[in-house]
Amino acid sequence: MKNLTARLDAWTLHPVAVTGVSGTRVLLGFVGLMYYLSQYGERSYLFGPDGILPHDEFLDQLTGFSLYALSGSSLWSELVFHSGIAAALAVLLGVGGRAGLAVHWVLLWSVYQRQPALLDGGDNLAYVVIPFLLLTRCYDRFALPTGLGEHVAARLPGGLRAVRVPFHNLGVLMVAVQICLVYVVSGLYKVMGQEWQDGTALFYVMRVPEFELPGWSHLVYESDALVVLGTYGTVAFLVYFPLGVLVPALRPWAAAVSIAFHLSIAFFMGLTGFALTMIACDLVFLSSALERVAATARTRWEGLAARRSGARAERAEPDGVPEESAAAPAPAAAGSAGPA
């Protein structure tokens, strides 16, 4: 009971994974900004009312909501699209707080719904994870210091301030559970596939024209050993990932393997948005490691700044003599006449 009480106290008093979840916010903002900018030159053709998906057809197939559905005007489409760029940049830089993050979610959902043919799977995870981030203190790190968050927090009632830490920890837990569900469900679906069972799935996946990287993919699918190891290794990793993150000693290693796995997906298959979204969620498991890296970098920066300050002070002293001594008048010679 004492152990359980201590855990409950820690859950309600000490926020967990603040650095990791802040990194999640930054990377999700970057993914959204990358999506907007990568389509910027073709925005009228892809998202405009007279583009590849005309406004009337878009309304007929829309099953949810989208701000692009409110008007068939080209001006409105441009306004919503550029507002999305501004919101994604604000989330990336850590400006706007939870309100800005909520606006980014609405605009990102809207642009994804406007052109579903461009989606790569990362959108589904972003839909779910960003609302969870609204519960967390994801603006405590890697954010421009505006002072607005502290000002608003100081004006909140005491009861709301008291639940900030439990809500934060709940949001972090929901992000962690969601990413584990993605891995397990994906792994179990693969286990049921014949190609994944006989170790040949990677051969077929890397030969799909949409996912093939010319000049590189053949190095993998022409090697029987790499195909078999990659196929069975993928299934094993996806199914057993939650077990790895449950053990604190294995947690950073499991997250590091996941990041390497998705970087390979981004490189070989071109699913950059999906890979970065998955990596963003993996950062909640690397929070302690990120904090150590940030602390080391801060210490080195402070030491470098101190050495530079000392070097400037030495250069300011002529011939090694302190400035005060150099500026002091020379003492009168012995036997010299005093003032009249």
Side-chain angles (χ1 to χ4, degrees):
M1 289 299 296
K2 290 182 179 180
N3 188 25
L4 177 61
T5 303
R7 289 181 177 272
L8 290 176
D9 288 341
W11 177 265
T12 57
L13 297 177
H14 304 291
V16 299
V18 175
T19 302
V21 80
S22 299
T24 302
R25 184 213 81 234
V26 171
L27 199 47
L28 288 180
F30 174 77
V31 171
L33 184 63
M34 180 184 67
Y35 180 84
Y36 283 112
L37 296 182
S38 64
Q39 317 295 341
Y40 190 82
E42 302 293 334
R43 64 187 184 280
S44 298
Y45 176 69
L46 295 173
F47 309 107
D50 301 319
I52 187 174
L53 183 62
H55 192 260
D56 294 338
E57 296 183 17
F58 162 60
L59 293 179
D60 291 338
Q61 73 174 32
L62 182 64
T63 57
F65 76 90
S66 176
L67 295 178
Y68 291 86
L70 299 180
S71 173
S73 167
S74 298
L75 180 61
W76 173 254
S77 176
E78 290 285 330
L79 177 62
V80 175
F81 188 86
H82 285 86
S83 298
I85 295 177
L89 181 61
V91 171
L92 171 63
L93 298 178
V95 177
R98 291 180 176 87
L101 185 59
V103 170
H104 171 62
W105 181 80
V106 172
L107 290 167
L108 198 63
W109 176 290
S110 297
V111 75
Y112 284 159
Q113 293 294 315
R114 182 63 182 89
Q115 188 50 267
L118 299 178
L119 305 182
D120 61 4
D123 55 290
N124 293 321
L125 188 59
Y127 291 158
V128 178
V129 167
I130 292 178
F132 296 162
L133 291 183
L134 295 175
L135 299 175
T136 68
R137 296 168 55 174
C138 60
Y139 282 84
D140 282 15
R141 307 281 192 276
F142 315 127
L144 294 179
T146 61
L148 180 61
E150 292 79 2
H151 179 73
V152 173
R155 292 180 173 272
L156 290 176
L160 289 179
R161 290 199 300 271
V163 298
R164 289 178 65 196
V165 173
F167 276 3
H168 165 84
N169 291 339
L170 177 62
V172 172
L173 177 63
M174 294 169 74
V175 173
V177 170
Q178 180 62 41
I179 194 67
C180 288
L181 286 175
V182 170
Y183 284 128
V184 170
V185 172
S186 176
L188 293 179
Y189 267 104
K190 287 178 172 59
V191 167
M192 294 186 292
Q194 182 62 42
E195 291 79 7
W196 293 95
Q197 293 176 9
D198 59 28
T200 61
L202 197 62
F203 173 83
Y204 297 105
V205 169
M206 300 197 72
R207 290 179 63 87
V208 176
E210 290 82 357
F211 299 142
E212 185 176 2
L213 180 64
W216 290 89
S217 295
H218 73 93
L219 299 176
V220 177
Y221 64 69
E222 290 180 354
S223 171
D224 293 342
L226 290 178
V227 168
V228 173
L229 290 175
T231 301
Y232 288 138
T234 297
V235 174
F237 162 71
L238 293 175
V239 173
Y240 292 106
F241 176 83
L243 298 180
V245 299
L246 286 176
V247 181
L250 297 178
R251 190 173 300 153
W253 296 103
V257 171
S258 177
I259 290 175
F261 173 73
H262 287 103
L263 287 177
S264 66
I265 289 178
F267 179 77
F268 283 103
M269 302 179 65
L271 300 176
T272 307
F274 165 77
L276 291 179
T277 302
M278 296 294 292
I279 292 173
C281 297
D282 286 333
L283 293 181
V284 299
F285 303 114
L286 286 173
S287 186
S288 298
L290 291 175
E291 289 174 0
R292 289 193 296 269
V293 171
T296 301
R298 185 167 52 250
T299 301
R300 291 181 177 179
W301 175 260
E302 291 174 352
L304 180 61
R307 287 195 294 270
R308 288 180 177 178
S309 177
R312 285 196 298 268
E314 290 179 359
R315 288 195 299 269
E317 297 174 359
D319 299 328
V321 180
E323 293 182 357
E324 292 81 359
S325 301
S336 62

